[in-house]
Amino acid sequence: LYDANLSIEEKIGIISKEIYGADGVDYSDLAKKQIQQYESAGFGKTPICIAKTQYSFSCDPAAKGVPTGFRVTVREIRACVGAGFLYPICGDIMTIPGLPTRPGFYDVDIDTATGDVIGLF
């Protein structure tokens, strides 16, 4: 879809236009600052994975389906350095941390004889 050597802004623009059909991209002051920081730190060539509402190709969850005539708004950009990508946060969306396939609570128990918690730490 895009050349990994393009700037962060260029990659976000290509995804926004080619995949979502946006007219363009707007960046908050925070996002602009973060882009400069990531590029200065050598993370400018990493892939991009956009975090946005699942209800619409736009960043507006009320604009269902495939709207037209909209712009993607990037409010901040976060890094998953270990996984090797940056993810712009677009619109009003919350993210959650990744969870393991087997939740840790399966290993927690109480020793009924002593009252000690087992497997918590």
Side-chain angles (χ1 to χ4, degrees):
L1 181 63
Y2 56 75
D3 181 339
N5 293 315
L6 293 174
S7 71
I8 293 170
E9 286 189 42
E10 289 173 310
K11 289 184 277 192
I12 294 170
I14 289 170
I15 294 168
S16 297
K17 291 175 184 174
E18 298 295 322
I19 302 295
Y20 301 132
D23 290 341
V25 182
D26 298 316
Y27 297 91
S28 70
D29 290 339
L30 174 62
K32 290 176 187 175
K33 180 179 176 183
Q34 290 170 323
I35 288 171
Q36 291 174 342
Q37 290 172 332
Y38 288 132
E39 288 182 342
S40 295
F43 298 114
K45 306 303 181 206
T46 57
I48 301 292
C49 180
I50 295 180
K52 54 176 263 339
T53 181
Q54 71 270 26
Y55 298 115
S56 173
F57 277 156
S58 75
C59 296
D60 179 2
K64 305 280 191 238
V66 186
T68 58
F70 68 92
R71 295 180 65 81
V72 167
T73 302
V74 177
R75 64 181 172 93
E76 70 175 291
I77 300 179
R78 298 180 188 167
C80 285
V81 177
F85 65 91
L86 299 176
Y87 63 104
I89 308 293
C90 298
D92 187 22
I93 188 168
M94 294 182 351
T95 60
I96 60 172
L99 300 173
T101 56
R102 184 172 184 277
F105 75 83
Y106 284 122
D107 300 322
V108 177
D109 202 357
I110 296 177
D111 183 333
T112 55
T114 64
D116 292 339
V117 176
I118 301 167
L120 189 58
F121 299 104

